């Protein structure tokens, strides 16, 4: 179903954009009274030397139009827009209708996905697991920090927080669509906001360790842990 | 709370702030000059990060990761507004208005731009949580800056990878950038330069002619006569005693005489003038050996010198345009200094464009964006490989447009208006779709201080409201007191002028917020910033409301809005870098609010200084005929002329917006923004960017996502930073050499 919907959306977009392209390009087959007096947006027609028959910015006259039709030109580019002159209107409307149909179809095809609660729960569980793992890493580091000198503390934070940033944080973030499907946007925002604040504290601890500022490490990691716990709480309420 | 004996991890030290301000001020003045002269501007976070990092850590041996982050935050906020100001304010000079330090208009415009910059920051701050923490937008360049700042702790291997990225960027970009450094060609080089298509045969002939005059220390009488008149034009222009009307009259009379001089038709006024001055002894004859007179210039070697041309095997003379577009009798290069034209190499129809820009930054940005960037690539394929060829084949385009001109014609005629419309519609839907989480983010900021953990991380809403109200009031005052009082001719002409100005300022405020979101979303998702498109729409909006008779007010508001949207995007990028290194947003936001207003003062002062020197030397403040041609402002002047002449394709903006919104409903909210961006940008950059996106996905499949991130990010950070630094150096050399 999804590939068909995507195809419908892409095809409709192409058709609608093609229609929109002609908005300022009326056909020369229109009667003179619809075209005379319009201002050319681009050169029109071409003589044998390759020079334009009517240059851009010219006000169209009946003579211009006759000349252009004789030269075989099919359309002109004008500065004024009018629904009556827009030959691609039907293409645009068809494309727009296709996009609307695509939207409806996309929403319908998303519904069964959302209803697949089994898979969704598994993903949210994965997110919970990732959060627990990150908190476990932090707890472990904090326990180890008590027994280490400054150099050792920096090294362990750089290594273990670095690994968490590389593996565990992306693993949690990958579950965002599932969290959003399960909790809705507002609740997801609460989860993500607390998570991001905790993540930023972890990042700060990493930077402090890299700069050799180890006095604040425990405090910063404690803040990170508290914020991640709040994120986990919001997630659990789902 | 400070505890005794504890070494605090400080973010805002005196050295980091002062150095950021100094660096930003120098970059601002230099880039303002470069922007007016050659159209080069750069946001500067990456450069500021590298310079700040090098000076603070490398030379001063101080500065933590967070201090360097604050330095780049302050420096980029001082620098970044110049793009908005030099895009707009020089339009006034081009239209014949004067700006000087003793002029109220100068101070009102400066005030408006400073206030606009602060407004841009204040408006975007509440969206940080939404874009960075909830939507997790990627922000490729700020991510690259983060990688640079983190390099001291990232280990030697990552530092080597980062350095390798910089080196690769230099190796790729050097042959692309070097040819912009040129020196006067020797006569013995002319044939080779013609052979390599660096100059035309006509330029070679002119150079030989000038060389003959230099050797003979004499030029034809007609040339000298025309030069004498050209010199008189110059004298009239710089005259301090003549009134503007008299200047115009006398200049026109002299120009008519110049036209009447027979025998000097093939030469420029500048050449004739230089020859005349040489004949009087005021200058040496050697001074004719410059680009200004038409002397051929020899560029440093570049990709084009590899001589990679399309095959002309089996073709008969004269060569077909498909092989020889410029009809110079030789097959065209498929690799020029800046482009690798795959489409022509593969023999695609000329109306279908498929070319890669030689731009390491685009490759790096594409890699850092990853899979999401494929939508931009798809939009580019749609516009340049489907839409344009179809429109051409169906005979919709003017007959004078050749197949190989389709891409550039379509860009101006419909791709760009539809692209900007798609951006607007997509962004509007994106904002609507994100309302629940935006509301949640705002609630969270409002709760700041009430929670025990992390609450004071963000500037409070109360502070922001006070800043916004103050700025809006100052903007209204600036708009009211600028220029001569003129009755509005715009959509609000029926209102009391004071009320109308107040309404315009309110609409401007709403537009800053919306345009700031669009720019921040675009840079966040793809690294591409449609700032010129937004600036263009901004000025159109102001002109429609204020009317075209009050151009000074319109430009003032347009400049303020452009400063605001560039600052908004910069702020969001800086906050992303701050997130990566663990900086406190509140500190960054406070310093960006303080420093953002400084940038426009420096830009405006530099602009007026340049205009004063130009006036003294050439009699023209800015634009053609001066060393600073202000290319961006000329583009905007064309827009102002377009609005005045009712030439804007408003319907196409509207249709684009509708499609952008529908796309967002059909797929995901920001799809309209991505597709719009791809129609708005030149395809060659999108293609290079797309290669980066694909490389990320392929590497992720082969080596694993974690590996692709761990090693790809520092390498691509190197590509982005290396490209930006080298471009800055090359442009500085070009400027210094004149």
């Amino acid at each position: 179903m999804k590939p068909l919907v995507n195809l419908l959306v892409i095809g409709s977009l192409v058709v609608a954009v093609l229609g929109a392209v002609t908005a300022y390009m009326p056909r020369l087959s229109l009667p003179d009274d619809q075209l005379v007096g319009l201002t050319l947006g681009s050169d029109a027609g071409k003589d044998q030397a390759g020079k334009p028959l009517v240059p851009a910015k010219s006000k169209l006259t009946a003579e211009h139009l006759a000349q252009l039709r004789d030269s075989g030109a099919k359309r002109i580019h004008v500065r004024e827009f009018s629904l009556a002159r827009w030959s691609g209107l039907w293409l645009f409307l068809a494309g727009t209708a296709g996009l609307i149909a695509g939207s409806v179809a996309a929403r319908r095809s998303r519904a069964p996905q959302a209803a697949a609660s089994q898979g969704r729960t598994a993903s949210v569980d994965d997110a919970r697991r990732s959060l627990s793992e990150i908190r476990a890493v932090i707890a472990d580091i904090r326990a180890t920090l008590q027994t280490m000198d400054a150099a050792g503390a920096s090294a362990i934070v750089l290594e273990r927080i670095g690994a968490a940033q590389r593996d565990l944080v992306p693993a949690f973030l990958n579950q965002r669509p599932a969290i959003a499907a399960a909790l809705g946007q507002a609740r997801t925002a609460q989860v993500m906001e607390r998570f991001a604040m905790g993540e930023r504290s972890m990042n700060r601890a990493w930077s402090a360790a890299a700069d050799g500022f180890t006095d604040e490490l425990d405090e910063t990691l404690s803040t990170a842990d508290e914020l991640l716990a709040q994120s986990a709480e919001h997630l659990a309420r789902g | 709370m400070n505890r005794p004996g504890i070494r605090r991890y400080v973010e805002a030290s005196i050295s980091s702030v002062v150095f950021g301000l100094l660096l930003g001020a120098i970059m601002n003045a230099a880039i303002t000059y470069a922007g007016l002269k050659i159209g080069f501007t750069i946001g500067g976070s990456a450069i500021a990060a590298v310079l700040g990092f090098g000076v603070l850590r490398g030379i001063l041996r101080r500065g933590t990761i967070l201090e360097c982050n604050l330095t780049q935050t302050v420096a980029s906020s001082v620098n970044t507004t110049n793009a908005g100001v030099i895009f707009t304010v020089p339009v006034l000079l081009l239209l014949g208005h004067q700006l000087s330090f003793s002029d109220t208009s100068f101070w009102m415009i400066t005030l408006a731009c400073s206030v606009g910059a602060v407004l841009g920051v204040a408006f975007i701050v509440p969206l940080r949580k939404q874009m960075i923490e909830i939507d997790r937008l990627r922000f490729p360049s700020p991510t690259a800056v983060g990688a640079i700042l983190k390099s001291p702790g990232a280990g030697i291997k990552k530092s080597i990878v980062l350095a390798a990225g910089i080196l690769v960027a230099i190796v790729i970009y050097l042959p692309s950038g070097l040819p912009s450094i040129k020196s006067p060609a020797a006569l013995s080089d002319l044939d080779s330069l013609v052979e390599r298509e660096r100059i035309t045969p006509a330029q070679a002939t002119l150079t030989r002619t000038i060389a003959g005059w230099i050797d003979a220390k004499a030029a034809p009488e007609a040339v000298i006569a025309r030069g004498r008149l050209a010199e008189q034009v110059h004298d009239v222009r710089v005259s301090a005693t003549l009134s503007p009307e008299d200047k115009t009259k006398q200049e026109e009379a002299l120009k008519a005489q110049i036209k009447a001089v027979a025998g000097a038709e093939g030469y420029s006024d500048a050449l004739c003038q230089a020859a005349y001055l040489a004949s009087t002894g005021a200058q040496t004859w050697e001074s004719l050996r410059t680009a200004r007179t038409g002397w051929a210039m020899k560029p440093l070697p570049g990709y084009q010198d590899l001589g990679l041309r399309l095959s002309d095997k089996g073709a008969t003379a004269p060569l077909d345009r498909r092989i020889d577009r410029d009809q110079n009798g030789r097959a065209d290069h498929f690799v020029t200094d800046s482009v690798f034209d795959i489409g022509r190499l593969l023999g695609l129809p000329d109306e279908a464009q498929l070319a890669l820009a030689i731009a390491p930054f685009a490759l790096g940005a594409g890699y850092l964006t990853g899979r999401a960037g494929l939508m931009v690539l798809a939009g580019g394929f749609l516009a340049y490989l489907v839409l344009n060829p179809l429109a051409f084949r169906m005979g919709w385009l003017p007959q004078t447009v050749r197949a190989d001109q389709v891409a550039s014609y379509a860009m101006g005629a419909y791709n760009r208006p539809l692209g900007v419309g798609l951006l607007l519609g997509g962004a509007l839907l994106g904002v609507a779709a994100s309302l629940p989480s935006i509301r949640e983010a705002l609630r969270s900021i409002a709760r700041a201080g009430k929670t025990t953990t992390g609450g004071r991380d963000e500037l409070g809403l109360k502070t922001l409201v006070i800043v916004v109200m103050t700025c809006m009031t100052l903007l209204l005052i600036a708009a009211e007191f600028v220029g001569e009082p003129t009755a509005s001719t715009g959509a609000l002409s029926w209102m009391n002028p004071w009320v109308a100005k107040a309404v315009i300022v309110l609409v401007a405020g709403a537009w800053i917020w919306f345009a700031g979101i669009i720019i921040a979303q675009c840079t966040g998702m793809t690294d591409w910033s449609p700032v010129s498109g937004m600036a263009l729409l901004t000025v159109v909006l102001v002109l429609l409301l204020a009317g075209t008779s009050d151009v000074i007010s319109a430009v003032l508001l347009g400049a303020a809005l452009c400063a605001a949207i560039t600052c908004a995007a910069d702020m969001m990028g800086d906050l992303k870098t701050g997130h990566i290194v663990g900086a406190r947003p509140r500190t960054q936001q406070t310093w960006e609010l303080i420093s953002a207003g400084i940038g426009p003062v420096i830009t405006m002062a530099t602009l007026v200084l340049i205009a004063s020197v130009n006036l003294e030397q050439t009699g023209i403040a800015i634009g053609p005929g001066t060393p600073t041609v202000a290319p961006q402002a000329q583009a905007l002047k064309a827009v102002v002329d377009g609005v005045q002449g009712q030439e804007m394709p408003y319907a196409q903006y509207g249709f684009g917006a509708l499609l952008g919104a529908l796309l967002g409903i059909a797929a995901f909210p920001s799809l309209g923004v991505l597709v719009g961006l791809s129609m708005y940008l030149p395809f060659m950059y999108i293609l290079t960017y797309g290669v980066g996106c694909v490389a990320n996905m392929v590497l992720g499949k082969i080596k694993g996502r974690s590996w692709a991130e761990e090693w790809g990010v520092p390498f691509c950070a190197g590509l982005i930073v290396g490209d930006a630094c080298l471009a800055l150096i090359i442009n500085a050399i070009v400027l210094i050499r004149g």
Side-chain angles (χ1 to χ4, degrees):
Chain A
M1 180 71 180
K2 206 181 165 194
L4 281 178
V5 173
N6 288 342
L7 206 63
L8 175 65
V9 170
I10 294 167
S12 303
L13 178 68
V14 172
V15 170
V17 170
L18 268 175
V21 165
T22 62
Y24 289 88
M25 295 177 179
R27 284 198 179 114
L28 274 167
S29 55
L30 286 172
D32 278 12
D33 60 344
Q34 288 201 38
L35 299 174
V36 169
L38 299 179
T39 315
L40 276 182
S42 308
D43 295 337
K46 190 164 78 169
D47 64 16
Q48 288 186 332
K51 295 266 161 57
L53 284 175
V54 190
K57 298 185 183 176
S58 303
K59 285 265 181 208
L60 282 172
T61 61
E63 291 74 40
H64 286 149
L65 294 171
Q67 230 181 333
L68 290 169
R69 285 175 188 132
D70 287 347
S71 76
K74 290 178 191 164
R75 286 175 189 264
I76 44 175
H77 179 201
V78 297
R79 286 179 182 165
E80 297 85 354
F81 172 72
S82 155
L83 275 178
R85 286 192 297 266
W86 185 15
S87 62
L89 173 64
W90 294 109
L91 274 181
F92 183 76
L93 290 178
T96 307
L99 278 174
I100 293 169
S103 310
V104 174
R107 284 184 182 273
R108 287 206 177 152
S109 71
R110 271 179 224 145
Q113 284 173 7
S117 56
Q118 192 59 42
R120 184 189 68 196
T121 309
S123 293
V124 174
D125 285 346
D126 287 346
R128 286 197 192 106
R129 201 171 308 120
S130 298
L131 257 180
S132 304
E133 282 172 4
I134 297 170
R135 292 190 63 202
V137 168
I138 292 173
D140 198 30
I141 295 172
R142 289 184 66 199
T144 319
L145 284 179
Q146 313 297 329
T147 61
M148 300 198 97
D149 61 2
S154 285
I156 200 155
V157 169
L158 286 176
E159 187 201 324
R160 302 207 50 197
I161 293 290
Q165 287 169 333
R166 188 186 60 228
D167 301 324
L168 299 177
V169 171
F172 176 82
L173 294 175
N174 285 342
Q175 310 307 325
R176 271 189 312 146
I179 299 172
L183 307 185
Q185 267 203 58
R187 296 286 303 283
T188 305
Q190 291 172 345
V191 172
M192 289 310 302
E193 189 224 350
R194 291 284 127 176
F195 176 82
M197 289 167 82
E199 181 200 0
R200 182 154 40 79
S201 290
M202 285 166 62
N203 295 347
R204 187 180 182 89
W206 189 97
S207 294
D211 284 324
F213 281 76
T214 50
D215 292 354
E216 276 188 45
L217 285 181
D218 187 57
E219 188 183 323
T220 312
L221 287 173
S222 155
T223 306
D225 186 45
E226 206 173 319
L227 287 160
L228 293 175
Q230 289 171 12
S231 178
E233 267 174 44
H234 285 299
L235 194 58
R237 275 186 226 154
Chain B
M1 187 173 67
N2 283 326
R3 282 177 282 160
I6 298 277
R7 218 159 53 107
R8 304 302 301 185
Y9 194 35
V10 178
E11 288 183 42
S13 61
I14 292 173
S15 56
S16 64
V17 173
V18 170
F19 184 61
L21 287 171
L22 270 177
L23 187 58
I26 294 167
M27 285 173 66
N28 186 319
I31 293 173
T32 297
Y33 179 57
L36 291 171
K37 195 172 165 82
I38 53 177
F40 171 82
T41 57
I42 190 166
S45 283
I47 311 273
V50 171
L51 288 175
F53 191 73
V55 174
L56 282 180
R57 287 189 86 111
I59 298 171
L60 301 177
R61 296 274 165 212
R62 58 190 304 172
T64 60
I65 291 172
L66 296 192
E67 283 178 296
C68 289
N69 176 55
L70 196 81
T71 296
Q72 69 87 13
T73 301
V74 170
S76 66
S77 80
V78 172
N79 169 53
T80 201
T81 46
N82 59 22
V85 177
I86 64 173
F87 186 73
T88 48
V89 180
V91 171
L92 288 179
L93 300 170
L94 289 172
L95 290 170
H97 295 272
Q98 302 291 331
L99 282 178
S100 70
F101 293 116
S102 58
D103 185 7
T104 317
S105 294
F106 167 81
W107 293 107
M108 289 299 119
I109 294 173
T110 306
L111 173 68
C113 292
S114 293
V115 161
V118 176
L119 266 179
V121 175
F123 272 130
I124 208 74
V125 160
L127 293 168
R128 184 194 73 84
K129 281 181 182 293
Q130 172 64 30
M131 289 191 182
I132 294 173
E133 296 187 345
I134 298 168
D135 284 350
R136 310 290 300 199
L137 299 187
R138 182 65 188 217
F139 287 95
S141 279
T143 301
V145 172
I148 300 277
L149 294 177
K150 284 176 73 175
S151 58
I156 189 72
K157 280 187 186 168
K158 281 194 185 159
S159 296
I160 291 172
V161 172
L162 178 75
I166 294 175
L167 194 68
V168 169
I170 290 171
V171 169
I172 295 175
Y173 185 67
L174 206 59
S176 189
L178 278 183
S180 50
I181 302 174
K182 295 173 182 172
S183 53
L187 291 180
S188 55
D189 290 331
L190 293 179
D191 289 336
S192 151
L193 289 170
V194 172
E195 162 72 19
R196 286 180 284 145
E197 295 191 45
R198 290 298 189 180
I199 60 170
T200 62
Q203 282 175 300
T205 307
L206 178 64
T207 305
R208 289 196 177 96
T209 306
I210 300 172
W213 299 350
I214 293 171
D215 287 344
K217 295 199 182 330
E221 195 45 50
V223 169
I224 301 294
R226 183 170 159 186
R228 190 180 302 117
L229 292 167
E231 178 64 8
Q232 284 172 16
V233 171
H234 172 262
D235 291 344
V236 168
R237 279 180 185 161
V238 299
S239 165
T241 52
L242 289 171
S243 69
E245 292 77 23
D246 287 343
K247 279 186 180 181
T248 312
K249 266 187 204 164
Q250 290 193 23
E251 198 178 321
E252 278 172 7
L254 285 166
K255 281 184 176 168
Q257 288 182 49
I258 287 176
K259 267 191 182 169
V261 175
E265 288 82 3
Y267 308 116
S268 67
D269 280 352
L271 172 60
C272 296
Q273 190 181 358
Y276 164 71
L277 291 173
S279 72
T280 60
Q283 280 181 9
T284 62
W285 281 97
E286 278 301 315
S287 66
L288 268 67
R289 219 181 279 269
T290 70
R292 208 170 70 86
T293 62
W295 186 278
M297 301 298 283
K298 180 185 175 185
L300 289 179
Y303 284 115
Q304 190 170 308
D305 297 309
L306 293 172
L308 299 172
R309 291 176 185 272
L310 296 167
S311 169
D312 56 0
K313 268 187 195 160
T316 51
L319 290 176
D320 181 54
R321 266 197 197 277
R322 292 210 51 183
I323 301 171
D324 179 21
R325 281 181 187 170
D326 52 5
Q327 293 288 284
N328 65 352
R330 306 199 57 198
D332 294 338
H333 292 98
F334 63 85
V335 176
T336 61
D337 292 329
S338 53
V339 176
F340 175 19
D341 199 331
I342 304 169
R344 294 190 76 188
L345 191 63
L346 295 175
L348 290 187
D350 279 0
E351 62 271 23
Q353 193 189 51
L354 191 71
L356 274 171
I358 302 172
F361 83 88
L363 197 64
Y367 186 95
L368 293 179
T369 308
R371 192 187 176 87
L374 286 184
M375 291 297 165
V376 182
L377 185 63
F381 277 122
L382 167 70
Y384 291 88
L385 292 172
V386 178
L387 194 61
N388 291 348
L390 267 177
F392 179 74
R393 290 285 163 126
M394 290 196 274
W396 292 357
L397 308 189
Q399 288 166 301
T400 45
V401 175
R402 291 197 313 265
D404 58 276
Q405 297 169 328
V406 166
S408 61
Y409 175 81
M411 172 67 100
Y414 52 82
N415 277 351
R416 195 165 268 227
L418 284 171
V420 170
L422 276 154
L423 269 173
L424 291 174
L428 201 60
L429 191 97
V431 171
S434 303
L435 276 179
S437 41
I438 290 176
R439 197 165 47 231
E440 198 52 47
L442 289 174
R443 269 191 202 144
S444 158
I445 296 172
R447 283 197 301 266
K450 292 177 190 163
T451 52
T452 50
T453 319
R456 300 297 297 170
D457 267 359
E458 203 96 36
L459 272 180
L461 279 185
K462 205 184 278 179
T463 312
L464 294 173
V465 168
I466 292 169
V467 170
V468 167
M469 297 299 284
T470 311
C471 288
M472 296 289 266
T473 310
L474 288 172
L475 191 57
L476 180 60
I477 291 170
E480 194 54 45
F481 289 100
V482 75
E484 298 296 321
T486 333
S488 169
T489 54
L492 307 179
S493 57
W494 52 277
M495 283 185 179
N496 169 297
W498 262 95
V499 179
K501 283 261 164 83
V503 171
I504 294 171
V505 168
L506 282 176
V507 173
W511 176 252
I512 289 174
W513 184 73
F514 184 53
I517 290 177
I518 295 178
I519 302 257
Q521 269 191 351
C522 289
T523 46
M525 286 188 287
T526 66
D527 220 29
W528 300 108
S529 164
V531 73
S532 62
M534 288 300 111
L536 182 152
L537 277 187
T538 299
V539 176
V540 170
L541 179 73
V542 173
L543 282 172
L544 286 176
L545 292 174
T548 48
S549 63
D550 190 7
V551 175
I552 299 190
S553 285
V555 169
L556 173 138
L557 287 168
L561 266 63
C562 290
I565 54 182
T566 49
C567 252
D570 176 68
M571 170 87 267
M572 201 53 94
D574 288 342
L575 288 169
K576 174 69 180 187
T577 306
H579 181 87
I580 291 168
V581 298
R584 197 164 280 134
R586 187 188 175 86
T587 311
Q588 280 186 287
Q589 289 160 359
T590 305
W591 281 105
E592 185 122 1
L593 272 180
I594 293 169
S595 56
I598 298 169
V601 180
I602 296 165
T603 311
M604 287 292 291
T606 311
L607 175 65
V608 167
L609 280 175
I610 290 171
S612 308
V613 173
N614 284 347
L615 267 175
E616 207 172 295
Q617 290 179 346
T618 64
I620 304 169
I622 221 148
T626 71
T628 46
V629 291
Q632 290 112 324
Q634 285 196 56
L636 188 64
K637 183 176 174 290
V639 171
V640 173
D641 293 341
V643 176
Q644 286 175 327
Q646 301 287 314
E647 295 167 16
M648 303 302 290
Y650 298 114
Q652 274 175 337
Y653 289 128
F655 301 145
L658 177 64
L659 295 179
L662 284 174
L663 263 185
I665 297 170
F668 55 93
S670 49
L671 183 60
V673 176
L674 294 174
V675 175
L677 203 56
S678 60
M679 290 183 72
Y680 166 89
L681 291 166
F683 187 47
M684 55 186 180
Y685 286 103
I686 291 177
L687 198 57
T688 307
Y689 172 84
V691 171
C693 300
V694 173
N696 177 315
M697 292 168 63
V698 171
L699 267 179
K701 280 263 183 229
I702 297 172
K703 304 286 285 184
R705 195 97 303 273
S706 176
W707 190 96
E709 281 290 303
E710 189 173 11
W711 301 106
V713 170
F715 183 78
C716 291
L719 288 181
I720 292 173
V721 171
D723 186 319
C725 290
L726 190 61
L728 190 73
I729 292 168
I730 287 175
N731 280 288
I733 294 171
V734 171
L735 284 178
I736 290 165
R737 291 169 66 101

